[in-house]
């Protein structure tokens, strides 16, 4: 009997060892490796993203004299290459690495000045593996999306010019759709800047951008900017994508509260609305504003104006090339949910179509798109002179 138990104990012990013998498998957890470090710098924020192959527990604390922020990552390793000093934006002087204890990696951010910061670890998305995201803000800023405190615009009677807010889609770590040679976030910013220049040549119009560089802005903050800047019209610029590279043509969309006008519009809205998940926004924080917007009694009239505005822009886009849909599409685009600002979303072309991608990269064709959209804006305003009269 004793021999039988001895044999059984030996068998159990053997099963608990790796094939080469030695330490049990459960005793040495795999290290999380930082595969890449990416940085995005907006006027009011710097974002540092650490791409990792697996999640890691972390602890963070600030230090003074000189100001620093320290992050300790358990069971993690950091690559030898870190961003060079001076390349880390307005808040960070340099990033250093070290080892606090065995298998605990340390990141030290030497700061140019005291800051506020926010750190979050994001699960894998369609584009990325695990990410540790570090945001730095000015010390007097609140480190959260200002969606819960929407700006209230000044009454229109006080305005001396019409404000057209142009929103280049995506940005920063959210590249949007990708073609063979370029990314959506790049070409739509180029088109948006050309449209801004085109509109600003018209007396009485002031065109402004939600972003001027390659950085991420949440969808809800884009609508907040529109209200804060007292926008009269809102135009979100995008480039479409589809699994079939033969898909082509421009499209114009307005908001729908009762479902999408087509399955394609529904699919597109879901894809565009997922940008905040890539950017690491806690969508639960947006519920209060979303409820306020959807309950606003002026929303139905604003949507009607948006459709009219979209028709005029679509008519002008038809003059420069093929359109994917002959009518203004409708779906629940989060970026179009300003309750009192006519808002449209333009898919300028299919970046997944090689011929249209080539056009999107052409400055000459970008100018044609900007001219067509600008003509659509002027056409809509001319039809609604009484509504948009300025002092």
């Amino acid at each position: 009997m004793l021999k039988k138990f001895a044999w059984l104990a030996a068998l159990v012990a053997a099963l608990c060892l790796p094939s080469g013998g030695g330490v049990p498998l459960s005793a040495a957890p795999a290290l999380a490796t930082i595969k890449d470090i990416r940085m995005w710098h907006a006027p009011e924020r710097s974002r540092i993203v650490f791409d990792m192959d697996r999640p890691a527990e972390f602890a963070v604390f600030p230090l003074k004299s000189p100001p620093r922020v320290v992050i300790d990552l358990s069971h993690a390793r950091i690559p030898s290459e870190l961003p060079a000093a001076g390349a880390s934006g307005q808040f960070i002087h340099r990033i250093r690495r070290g080892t606090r204890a065995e298998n605990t990696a340390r990141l030290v951010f030497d700061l140019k000045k005291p800051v506020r910061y926010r750190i979050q670890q994001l699960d894998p998305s369609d584009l990325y593996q695990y990410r540790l995201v570090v945001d730095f803000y000015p010390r007097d800023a609140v480190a959260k999306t200002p969606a819960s405190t929407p700006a209230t615009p000044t009454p229109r009677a006080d305005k001396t010019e019409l404000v057209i807010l142009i929103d280049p889609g995506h940005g920063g770590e959210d590249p949007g759709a990708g073609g063979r040679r370029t990314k959506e976030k790049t070409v739509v910013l180029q088109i948006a800047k050309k449209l801004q220049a085109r509109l600003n040549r018209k007396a009485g119009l002031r065109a402004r951008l939600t972003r001027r560089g390659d950085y991420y802005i949440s969808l809800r903050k884009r609508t907040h900017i529109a209200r804060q800047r007292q926008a009269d019209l809102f135009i979100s610029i995008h480039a479409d994508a589809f699994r079939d590279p033969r898909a082509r043509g421009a499209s114009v969309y307005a908001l729908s509260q009762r479902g999408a006008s087509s399955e394609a519009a529904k699919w597109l809205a879901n894809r565009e609305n997922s940008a905040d998940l890539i950017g690491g926004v806690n969508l639960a924080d947006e519920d209060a504003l979303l409820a306020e917007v959807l309950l606003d009694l002026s929303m139905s009239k604003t949507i009607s104006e948006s459709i009219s505005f979209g028709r005029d822009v679509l008519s002008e886009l038809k003059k420069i090339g093929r359109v994917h849909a002959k009518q203004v599409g409708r779906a629940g685009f989060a970026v179009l949910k300003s309750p009192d600002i006519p808002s449209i979303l333009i898919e300028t072309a299919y970046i997944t179509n090689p011929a249209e991608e080539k056009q999107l990269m052409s400055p000459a064709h970008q100018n044609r798109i900007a001219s067509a959209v600008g003509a659509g804006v002027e056409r809509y305003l001319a039809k609604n002179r009484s509504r948009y009269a300025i002092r």
Side-chain angles (χ1 to χ4, degrees), residues 155-171:
R156 284 211 65 260
D158 295 339
K159 300 179 67 171
T160 58
E161 58 189 359
L162 299 177
V163 176
I164 316 298
L165 190 64
I166 306 166
D167 174 46
H170 306 280

Side-chain angles (χ1 to χ4, degrees), residues 116-348:
R116 291 182 183 271
Y117 59 88
R118 182 182 68 172
I119 299 175
Q120 57 182 328
Q121 190 163 242
L122 303 179
D123 292 333
S125 69
D126 291 340
L127 297 178
Y128 303 109
Q129 290 183 287
Y130 292 93
R131 289 170 288 160
L132 185 70
V133 179
V134 188
D135 290 319
F136 293 96
Y137 304 83
R139 190 170 188 175
D140 56 352
V142 177
K144 66 175 292 187
T145 303
S148 58
T149 55
T152 301
T154 305
R156 284 211 65 260
D158 295 339
K159 300 179 67 171
T160 58
E161 58 189 359
L162 299 177
V163 176
I164 316 298
L165 190 64
I166 306 166
D167 174 46
H170 306 280
E173 65 182 294
D174 173 22
R180 296 179 180 178
R181 300 168 55 194
T182 191
K183 297 176 181 178
E184 178 181 2
K185 66 175 184 178
T186 301
V187 295
V188 298
L189 179 60
Q190 293 167 349
I191 293 170
K193 289 181 176 179
K194 289 177 172 61
L195 175 58
Q196 180 189 31
R198 160 73 170 76
L199 292 173
N200 281 340
R201 290 195 290 268
K202 180 74 172 180
L205 297 185
R206 170 67 65 87
R208 307 185 73 172
L209 301 177
T210 55
R211 68 176 177 96
R212 297 198 60 83
D214 184 15
Y215 47 85
Y216 168 79
I217 303 176
S218 74
L219 300 176
R220 195 58 59 204
K221 185 173 181 180
R222 294 170 195 253
T223 62
H224 174 87
I225 293 171
R227 294 177 62 78
Q228 187 180 50
R229 295 183 177 175
Q230 305 172 36
D232 295 278
L233 297 174
F234 180 90
I235 305 169
S236 193
I237 306 291
H238 291 258
D240 216 337
F242 193 62
R243 60 181 177 272
D244 187 343
R246 293 173 297 178
R248 62 193 179 112
S251 305
V252 179
Y253 293 89
L255 179 66
S256 172
Q257 293 176 264
R258 299 182 179 179
S261 57
S262 67
E263 282 302 312
K266 181 179 179 180
W267 178 86
L268 178 62
N270 289 337
R271 179 171 67 83
E272 298 294 1
N273 292 346
S274 69
D276 279 352
L277 296 177
I278 298 172
V281 171
N282 182 357
L283 298 183
D285 292 342
E286 316 300 330
D287 289 346
L289 179 63
L290 182 59
E292 173 191 327
V293 168
L294 293 180
L295 290 174
D296 193 287
L297 295 178
S298 67
M299 198 71 203
S300 59
K301 180 172 176 56
T302 301
I303 291 176
S304 177
E305 290 295 332
S306 299
I307 294 171
S308 176
F309 176 30
R311 285 172 182 155
D312 288 329
V313 171
L314 185 61
S315 294
E316 296 297 330
L317 287 171
K318 290 177 181 178
K319 298 177 181 179
I320 66 166
R322 181 186 177 95
V323 296
H324 186 72
K326 296 181 180 180
Q327 305 296 328
V328 175
R330 297 182 62 186
F333 294 94
V335 77
L336 302 182
K337 291 179 177 176
S338 292
D340 54 354
I341 305 171
S343 304
I344 60 172
L345 184 146
I346 302 172
E347 296 286 352
T348 52

Side-chain angles (χ1 to χ4, degrees), residues 365-383:
H365 189 70
Q366 290 175 359
N367 277 323
R368 284 192 286 272
I369 295 172
S371 294
V373 177
V377 171
E378 294 175 10
R379 180 172 172 172
Y380 172 74
L381 293 176
K383 289 164 55 177

Side-chain angles (χ1 to χ4, degrees), residues 3-196:
K3 289 182 179 180
K4 184 181 291 186
F5 279 118
W7 175 85
L8 182 60
L11 177 61
V12 171
L15 291 173
C16 292
L17 292 175
S19 59
V23 181
L25 289 174
S26 60
L31 297 180
T33 301
I34 295 177
K35 298 291 190 179
D36 193 16
I37 302 174
R38 297 172 290 120
M39 297 184 293
W40 316 105
H41 305 300
E44 76 289 350
R45 178 183 68 178
S46 283
R47 167 166 284 192
I48 317 297
V49 180
F50 299 90
D51 292 306
M52 303 186 297
D53 60 357
R54 64 185 68 239
E57 294 184 1
F58 64 90
V60 57
F61 56 93
L63 295 173
K64 299 179 180 179
S65 301
R68 288 157 287 164
V69 171
V70 180
I71 302 175
D72 286 334
L73 294 162
S74 299
H75 301 292
R77 55 174 168 242
I78 303 171
S80 57
E81 294 294 327
L82 291 176
S88 301
Q90 59 178 314
F91 303 113
I92 304 164
H93 172 61
R94 64 175 176 171
I95 305 173
R96 296 183 285 122
R97 66 187 180 92
T99 302
R100 176 179 174 273
E102 184 178 2
N103 292 336
T104 298
R106 169 165 286 185
L107 287 164
V108 180
F109 297 86
D110 293 320
L111 304 174
K112 297 177 181 178
K113 51 189 174 183
V115 298
R116 291 182 183 271
Y117 59 88
R118 182 182 68 172
I119 299 175
Q120 57 182 328
Q121 190 163 242
L122 303 179
D123 292 333
S125 69
D126 291 340
L127 297 178
Y128 303 109
Q129 290 183 287
Y130 292 93
R131 289 170 288 160
L132 185 70
V133 179
V134 188
D135 290 319
F136 293 96
Y137 304 83
R139 190 170 188 175
D140 56 352
V142 177
K144 66 175 292 187
T145 303
S148 58
T149 55
T152 301
T154 305
R156 284 211 65 260
D158 295 339
K159 300 179 67 171
T160 58
E161 58 189 359
L162 299 177
V163 176
I164 316 298
L165 190 64
I166 306 166
D167 174 46
H170 306 280
E173 65 182 294
D174 173 22
R180 296 179 180 178
R181 300 168 55 194
T182 191
K183 297 176 181 178
E184 178 181 2
K185 66 175 184 178
T186 301
V187 295
V188 298
L189 179 60
Q190 293 167 349
I191 293 170
K193 289 181 176 179
K194 289 177 172 61
L195 175 58
Q196 180 189 31

